[in-house]
Amino acid sequence: MQDTFEMLEELLEQEQFELLFPKENGAQAEWECYETYENNERKQGEKDSLARVGKEKNPGDIRLVYLMNDAVESFLIFRDARLTGSYLENYEGPLKSSLSQEGDEYILVVWQGENVVTLFFRMLDLEVYLYNYGEIGHFWVPGYEYLRQLEYRIAIARDKLEYLGEEFCTEKERALVQLADFPPLNYCCYPAVPKQYIVPKEDPWKPSAAAFQVMEELAKEARDFSLLRLLHVYKKFPAPFIARIFARVLHKNKHSAVIDLLTGKIKSAAAAYPDRTFGNEADQQLKSLLSKAGKLQEKLTRDGIHAEVLREEPFTTARDSLDFQVFLMVWKKGWWNRRVEIRKL
């Protein structure tokens, strides 16, 4: 795991500075976040053993949002903090910062444009909550949505690994996230988000040796030898036009076993972590929606139609509302291609 001060420096270099204050968060919201972890700990046993959480609730602490996605909610915690100046909550623009130390107190000065905010604190801790992301679905980009869900899950797990370190990922995850460097399956060919929201990486069309190894193992396990042969061609000639050819065959019926195998492995790896909880009333609301979707899924199954239940949910902290969305992803098998229909409940 990185040093927390290195994490802070990295965040400020990216011009990210979103603070959460105990009073503005509300005492109940502060406790809800800790209750989420502790309740999951009782319910899930070893599932949240990877979560590293500071359990002390200090009204003088201020949180800085670090990495937030469907797999993780993490914060840097300024302990025994006090703030001077005016923090601009909705500021979007260039940031400058400086960090110094006087005695046992650190001083962080951040310029939000011409506005200056100063944080005095004594310690900087990391607080992390890990969650099951295997049944989360986002449908921001149409077309072959089931492949875009794979791209999304691999990408957020990769972010977790890169930002937080290996100790916050299972061995299965550390292997599967290598596919973030496999262009036929990453944002080069099946982006889960619109183009304007993609964070580009250097040389995205260059596949990694580790990604090839993972795909080879999947093809062998699924006994898809024609895909394996194409993979060897791509490995020998890793050009973008070969990557696009490979990407197109991934939605063919004849290669469905590989995609289903990968989907199952990602869901299994994600299931090592607990589901989010939002309090009894909200949990019952979500449970009711999922139950309704489950009944529709069972009916489709009786009719010989495969469907998956997926959901969108808010973060447990820094949330504006409890807006749950539940979907059925219904499989449509054509002559050559596998497609899905997305039904929102």
Side-chain angles (χ1 to χ4, degrees):
M1 185 180 70
Q2 297 182 58
D3 177 84
T4 52
F5 285 93
E6 292 178 359
M7 292 177 167
L8 175 61
E9 181 181 4
E10 180 181 27
L11 206 60
L12 292 171
E13 286 177 353
Q14 297 174 2
E15 298 186 338
Q16 301 295 316
F17 189 65
E18 182 180 351
L19 295 176
L20 300 178
F21 300 95
K23 289 183 179 179
E24 294 184 9
N25 232 11
Q28 184 62 31
E30 185 86 346
W31 278 94
E32 281 179 358
C33 184
Y34 286 95
E35 284 289 326
T36 295
Y37 174 80
E38 292 165 355
N39 287 340
N40 284 334
E41 188 173 35
R42 289 192 294 270
K43 295 174 183 177
Q44 303 292 341
E46 73 278 5
K47 283 191 176 184
D48 46 35
S49 62
L50 291 175
R52 178 185 297 257
V53 181
K55 294 285 184 96
E56 295 298 323
K57 294 88 169 175
N58 188 332
D61 295 342
I62 297 176
R63 289 175 172 175
L64 176 64
V65 173
Y66 185 58
L67 175 63
M68 299 278 279
N69 63 36
D70 284 304
V72 59
E73 298 180 28
S74 61
F75 312 87
L76 293 174
I77 311 298
F78 299 102
R79 300 294 188 191
D80 298 321
R82 53 193 175 90
L83 182 146
T84 63
S86 178
Y87 168 65
L88 304 179
E89 181 178 357
N90 298 316
Y91 175 79
E92 293 184 6
L95 291 177
K96 292 193 299 182
S97 63
S98 70
L99 180 66
S100 59
Q101 184 175 9
E102 293 185 6
D104 60 352
E105 190 171 55
Y106 295 94
I107 304 170
L108 174 66
V109 183
V110 177
W111 286 265
Q112 297 174 298
E114 297 182 357
N115 184 72
V116 182
V117 58
T118 304
L119 265 170
F120 301 85
F121 61 99
R122 296 187 181 277
M123 291 179 60
L124 185 63
D125 288 337
L126 175 66
E127 181 177 275
V128 178
Y129 302 87
L130 303 176
Y131 297 104
N132 179 5
Y133 53 94
E135 296 177 347
I136 300 297
H138 298 291
F139 304 101
W140 298 309
V141 181
Y144 300 111
E145 289 87 350
Y146 59 98
L147 293 174
R148 300 186 194 278
Q149 301 314 303
L150 292 179
E151 188 275 329
Y152 177 77
R153 293 167 190 165
I154 291 168
I156 63 174
R158 175 65 167 265
D159 284 346
K160 181 173 65 165
L161 175 64
E162 290 187 343
Y163 279 85
L164 294 172
E166 291 188 350
E167 63 198 274
F168 293 96
C169 296
T170 65
E171 184 177 353
K172 290 180 180 179
E173 285 180 299
R174 292 195 293 271
L176 292 169
V177 298
Q178 302 307 317
L179 292 176
D181 294 324
F182 191 69
L185 198 55
N186 69 15
Y187 73 80
C188 291
C189 295
Y190 290 107
V193 299
K195 185 177 181 179
Q196 64 267 31
Y197 298 114
I198 292 174
V199 179
K201 61 181 181 179
E202 186 178 353
D203 203 0
W205 286 99
K206 183 179 180 180
S208 69
F212 274 122
Q213 182 178 347
V214 174
M215 281 304 300
E216 284 184 13
E217 291 172 357
L218 287 167
K220 289 177 180 177
E221 187 174 344
R223 300 185 63 80
D224 189 338
F225 300 113
S226 64
L227 189 69
L228 191 59
R229 287 192 294 271
L230 181 57
L231 185 65
H232 290 160
V233 172
Y234 179 40
K235 189 174 182 179
K236 189 175 182 180
F237 305 102
F241 79 95
I242 301 293
R244 292 189 180 97
I245 292 173
F246 198 100
R248 285 196 293 270
V249 307
L250 290 178
H251 58 68
K252 302 297 184 184
N253 291 324
K254 66 182 295 185
H255 303 300
S256 61
V258 172
I259 297 304
D260 292 345
L261 179 63
L262 175 57
T263 300
K265 287 181 178 292
I266 293 176
K267 285 190 173 185
S268 175
Y273 307 106
D275 294 331
R276 284 176 170 85
T277 63
F278 304 91
N280 289 335
E281 183 177 349
D283 287 349
Q284 287 301 315
Q285 177 188 348
L286 178 58
K287 184 178 179 180
S288 176
L289 286 171
L290 292 173
S291 176
K292 181 180 178 181
K295 291 177 181 177
L296 292 173
Q297 181 188 35
E298 291 174 2
K299 184 180 185 300
L300 289 169
T301 300
R302 290 194 297 270
D303 294 336
I305 300 172
H306 177 60
E308 291 183 39
V309 177
L310 299 173
R311 67 182 184 273
E312 287 184 357
E313 60 189 18
F315 297 131
T316 61
T317 55
R319 62 177 184 248
D320 295 326
S321 64
L322 280 173
D323 186 18
F324 300 112
Q325 305 286 345
V326 175
F327 306 89
L328 275 175
M329 188 163 68
V330 182
W331 295 80
K332 303 287 186 179
K333 187 175 181 180
W335 286 105
W336 304 104
N337 298 315
R338 300 174 89 203
R339 298 183 183 273
V340 291
E341 175 189 344
I342 307 304
R343 301 179 185 176
K344 180 180 174 182
L345 270 67

